[in-house]
Amino acid sequence: MSSRKYTKNYFIPPIVDMSWTRKEYPAKAPVWCSVDLRDGNQSLVIPMSIDEKIEFYKMLVKIGFKEIEVGFPAASETEYAFLRTLVEKDLIPDDVTVQVLTQSREHIIKRTFAALDGVKNAIVHVYNSTSVAQREQVFKKSREDIKKIAVDGAVMLKELTAEAGEKYRFEYSPESFTGTEVDYACEVCNAVLDIWQPNSDRKAIINLPSTVQMSMPHIYAAQIAYMSQNLSYRDNVVLSLHPHNDRGTGVADSEMGLLAGADRIEGTLFGNGERTGNADVVTIAMNMYALGVDPKLDFSNMPEIISMYENVTRMHVYERQPYSGSLVFAAFSGSHQDAIAKGMKWREEEKPEHWTVPYLLIDPKDIGREYDGDVIRINSQSGKGGVAYIMEQKYGLDMPKKMREDFGYCVKSVSDHKHKELLPDEIYNIFQEVYVNIENPLSLIDFKLNKTADGMRDGHLHLYVNGQEKVLPARGNGRLDAVSNALQEQLGIRYSNLIYSEHAMEIGSTSRAMAYIGIADEDDNTSWGAGMDTDIITASVKALLSAVNKMAKIKTIMVLK
């Protein structure tokens, strides 16, 4: 590899007002034009069928696109038939404009018009390449010759449109704009505009493609600024961008181009297009949304959009694709999970106006994603915060803080051993198996404790001990204290520092109660148990027995007095 092989092939614009650089973000959404059905489709290994294109088209309309490039009708029978199907099945709403691409050749334009017959709103898009490389290497023509091609095409399109009795809107692209001298590109576009004479009722579109990205985004934006400031009929011109992604900056080019004066973006849903693709409309629009700007596109059901896209294009939305990827909200790191869980808890308590949860740029639910399956994901890198969050949000289990740590290590160990992510139901099953209603070697049969005159509780504890039925006298200042005393005094079990909490089950059956107990043995090792029952006192007793059954020395110290 030798970098000396390369040099810049772009052109810095002449003097241009750069005050746009002080803007933070676009104040409003641009006009969006989807080119998925043309630019995106022609990049597929297996182009979409008519039925697949119709399915995609319907989704674009549902999302809210008001301008949709439906293809190059004169290029093939499939492209022609697709547009005719939209017309004949009345699939074009009155507020949607379809756009078609055509070369500036009479028979091709007439074939395009035939495909458009019956369309209420249409944009006819013509183009020719203007770059130095194309002029010198492909066409071997001068600047004047290339400009004449553009002008002749504009004249032909205007005349044939008038002849057809239509009022189609026109779009012109100096293809390979980024490799064209900027003042010359402006000269060509103004020559086209002089032919079309756009007005407020019939604005023209000047589309400036980065057919091949050649510069950093601020250079492309400066080129856009120059064009915006020097185009004729500017009030009646919609300045459009069509960024590709050769340098991986299609989104940045689009965002900076909008700041620099552009009014419109042509792109594809997930950036699909030839070579490295087009501008990713989902990312651009959602970036606006995350800054409080309504993009005027509805991505509230992102999973449905992705499913359709992957089905008809046979492409795959990358797991880390901004906003849309299956893992973009996922937190596996323990510290990230803990911060997210605490942020969500803070939102519940404080109810702030704006979204500020750590590590989450937007609320995943805004685009149809769920916290427990999409945000908090559990593997061997996870911590107690994420595990506890899933247990509380999905199953209504609010463990004591110290127990969360114990359970977190337990889950990490299982994930590490299995070398896999654990799903919420798997985590819940681990909790049930490790902590809940543990019945060996002690198993509860029943207990009866009556309140005495002195305020104490007195009665008996009926249970199995190593499979043998035992009835133990029990007395204490409360029912749980009485059971605990019976275990320690009658079975010789020693523990201290009893930690207790309980709650009604908030998710699932509201008739169940959950209790948690932690105890420390004589070596200060803490054991945790949980009890689940329809009665809160019974749940508490089961939790205590579960904790005792988990004590490391239980089998050796359990001796009847």
Side-chain angles (χ1 to χ4, degrees), residues 383-398:
K384 63 182 186 299
V387 172
Y389 183 81
I390 285 180
M391 296 299 284
E392 183 174 0
Q393 294 296 312
K394 191 170 180 65
Y395 305 104
L397 302 177
D398 186 13

Side-chain angles (χ1 to χ4, degrees), residues 444 447 461 480 483 536-546:
L444 178 68
F447 62 92
L461 175 65
L480 186 59
V483 171
I536 188 59
I537 300 301
T538 303
S540 302
V541 173
K542 288 182 177 180
L544 176 58
L545 291 174
S546 295

Side-chain angles (χ1 to χ4, degrees), residues 369-390:
R369 306 288 289 275
E370 296 297 328
Y371 299 135
D372 58 337
D374 293 314
V375 178
I376 304 295
R377 305 277 292 268
I378 304 302
N379 63 13
S380 60
Q381 306 301 307
S382 305
K384 63 182 186 299
V387 172
Y389 183 81
I390 285 180

